[in-house]
Amino acid sequence: MSDTLQNLRIAGDDKMAGARRRRKKWPWIVAALVVLALAGWFMTPRTFVVEAATVGLAYPSRTVTELTASGYIVAQRKAALATKATAQLVWLGVEEGSRVKKGDILARLESADVEAAKKLAVHELSAARFQIASAEAELADATLQYNRMKKLSAGDYVARSEHDAAKARLDKAEAALSQAKASLAAREQALKKAEAERGYTELEAPFDAVVLTKNADLGDIISPLGASSTSKAAVVTIADMSSLAAEVDVSESSIEKVKVGGPCEIILDAIPGERFPGVVHMIVPTADRTKATVLVKVRFTTLDPRVLPEMSAKTAFLSRPLTPDETQPRLAVPAGAVIRRGETDAVFVMRGGKAVLTPVTLGEVLGDMRAVTKGLTAGEKVILSPPAELRDGDAVALAEG
């Protein structure tokens, strides 16, 4: 019995000693697990969610731009060619984009009736001229007869009544000649009217222009008022392309910054890579109460054939004219993308989902942009406001939206 108790006591002591040894190992196991977890976290690649911008061209004019305004390109000389006659369109010699010279015939209307009226006026004019010739001959004969009767009457060789009859005939001949001359003048005016009506059937270009729209087709009825749903008032719309200007709306509160003759740059959405020099041509002397804006017209210094009416445009009003060097764009990045690492300026470039630290050589300040003379190429994406913990080679992803 005593041996059994002794054995149980020994077994209990061994069990307690083993438990004590296990308790001593747990802190080391926990510490090892923490170390392994930290090592795994540091070794796992981090992904930073960032915003990026594209390296592109910036113009030095940004530094002297006082105001920008939006609007459209508008032809200052434009016409919708219509007619005073109502007739069918029988010939159209132009289409959209056709260039025409002043005096060119662009379209013709059916003109059989006015042609007949013109021929009638010509014949009536000829008849009026013959009437004058007849009246002149009658007047000449009546004058001779009157003079003869006057001499005979003075010597009492003829009755006084014959002298009076000769005088009446002379007066009648003079009146007939006057009437014939008046008729001739009326026939001449009738012919001019017929020629004018004949001219109404031909649409003539009033100035050098380009056809913008074709509003009617062969067979359409052209009416000066477009009174019915089947008639057309205008045949074509033309514009003088040399009169193109940017019309922009400037806020009333900023209009004092705009001066007639002031330098500008015109930016077209259709030609985003270029800027076109211009000057303020006119400040329209009235405001739009619904928008609280004033219309400003800006003319191009040199017109480009790619500029078309109704293109959307932005105008930058400059504080001074640009120098020739300032008209050339610079490669630039947003100033917020540039960081300082030691003595070197650098940016993080996104390449293959990684942030690549790239040293750059900076140029002048261009508003909120910085010119870059070395280190980048156009089209690359740089990270904006990179996080302080971002390192070369870290994984990056673009923020949504």
Side-chain angles (χ1 to χ4, degrees):
M1 184 68 178
S2 59
D3 292 339
T4 302
L5 293 174
Q6 183 68 25
N7 291 335
L8 290 173
R9 188 181 302 112
I10 293 171
D13 291 342
D14 291 341
K15 187 174 182 181
M16 293 176 63
R20 285 195 294 271
R21 287 195 298 271
R22 286 195 295 272
R23 284 197 297 270
K24 290 180 180 180
K25 289 181 180 178
W26 271 113
W28 293 102
I29 294 172
V30 171
L33 291 175
V34 170
V35 170
L36 290 174
L38 290 174
W41 183 79
F42 280 109
M43 294 179 64
T44 301
R46 293 176 294 173
T47 299
F48 291 87
V49 178
V50 296
E51 294 182 350
T54 302
V55 179
L57 298 177
Y59 284 79
S61 59
R62 297 167 65 98
T63 61
V64 294
T65 297
E66 292 191 323
L67 173 70
T68 59
S70 300
Y72 297 91
I73 302 299
V74 179
Q76 303 303 298
R77 188 157 64 157
K78 182 178 177 181
L81 298 187
T83 175
K84 292 177 69 175
T86 298
Q88 187 180 52
L89 182 64
V90 296
W91 180 79
L92 183 61
V94 295
E95 58 185 5
E96 292 88 344
S98 297
R99 294 187 174 271
V100 297
K101 297 291 185 180
K102 180 179 179 180
D104 287 351
I105 303 300
L106 310 185
R108 290 190 176 92
L109 306 182
E110 190 275 322
S111 59
D113 54 344
V114 293
E115 288 285 1
K118 179 181 177 181
K119 290 179 180 179
L120 177 60
V122 169
H123 291 307
E124 288 179 342
L125 181 61
S126 297
R129 291 195 177 102
F130 288 124
Q131 288 177 357
I132 286 181
S134 175
E136 288 174 342
E138 177 63 21
L139 178 59
D141 183 59
T143 301
L144 290 174
Q145 181 67 16
Y146 172 71
N147 290 335
R148 189 179 302 115
M149 288 296 111
K150 186 176 180 181
K151 290 180 181 180
L152 292 175
S153 176
D156 291 332
Y157 295 109
V158 295
R160 184 69 183 178
S161 60
E162 292 186 21
H163 171 271
D164 293 343
K167 180 66 171 64
R169 182 188 172 197
L170 176 61
D171 293 342
K172 184 178 179 180
E174 289 176 345
L177 179 59
S178 296
Q179 181 182 11
K181 288 181 177 179
S183 178
L184 176 63
R187 298 309 177 190
E188 287 175 343
Q189 294 304 313
L191 178 58
K192 289 181 180 179
K193 179 182 177 182
E195 289 174 341
E197 290 177 347
R198 171 66 178 81
Y200 296 154
T201 64
E202 294 182 341
L203 293 185
E204 182 178 304
F207 47 80
D208 295 352
V210 171
V211 177
L212 300 183
T213 60
K214 185 180 68 171
N215 306 316
D217 292 305
L218 297 183
D220 284 341
I221 300 299
I222 308 302
S223 173
L225 299 179
S228 70
S229 60
T230 57
S231 64
K232 305 293 179 65
V235 178
V236 293
T237 301
I238 64 173
D240 180 1
M241 303 301 276
S242 66
S243 70
L244 292 180
E247 294 188 356
V248 296
D249 292 321
V250 177
S251 172
E252 291 178 2
S253 60
S254 303
I255 194 63
E256 61 182 12
K257 298 180 182 179
V258 180
K259 306 296 181 184
V260 174
C264 302
E265 275 193 333
I266 302 170
I267 305 102
L268 303 178
D269 292 344
I271 315 174
E274 296 185 38
R275 294 193 172 196
F276 302 91
V279 294
V280 177
H281 171 65
M282 177 190 300
I283 301 174
V284 177
T286 186
D288 185 334
R289 67 170 67 179
T290 60
K291 298 187 290 184
T293 59
V294 176
L295 183 65
V296 177
K297 297 184 179 183
V298 179
R299 285 202 179 276
F300 289 85
T301 301
T302 302
L303 272 173
D304 190 290
R306 294 172 294 174
V307 180
L308 301 176
E310 304 307 320
M311 280 184 171
S312 58
K314 295 182 180 67
T315 297
F317 297 91
L318 310 179
S319 60
R320 60 171 176 80
L322 299 176
T323 64
D325 180 61
E326 289 175 327
T327 61
Q328 301 302 317
R330 273 74 159 150
L331 192 70
V333 296
V338 180
I339 59 175
R340 190 78 173 172
R341 290 296 170 91
E343 299 297 322
T344 304
D345 293 311
V347 297
F348 279 104
V349 179
M350 292 186 65
R351 291 176 185 158
K354 302 287 185 180
V356 179
L357 186 63
T358 305
V360 294
T361 302
L362 299 178
E364 69 264 46
V365 177
L366 304 175
D368 58 351
M369 306 283 284
R370 287 298 301 271
V372 177
T373 60
K374 186 177 180 182
L376 295 175
T377 58
E380 290 184 305
K381 287 190 177 296
V382 295
I383 296 174
L384 295 174
S385 302
E389 62 271 20
L390 184 65
R391 296 292 181 267
D392 185 27
D394 284 344
V396 290
L398 285 176
E400 295 183 1

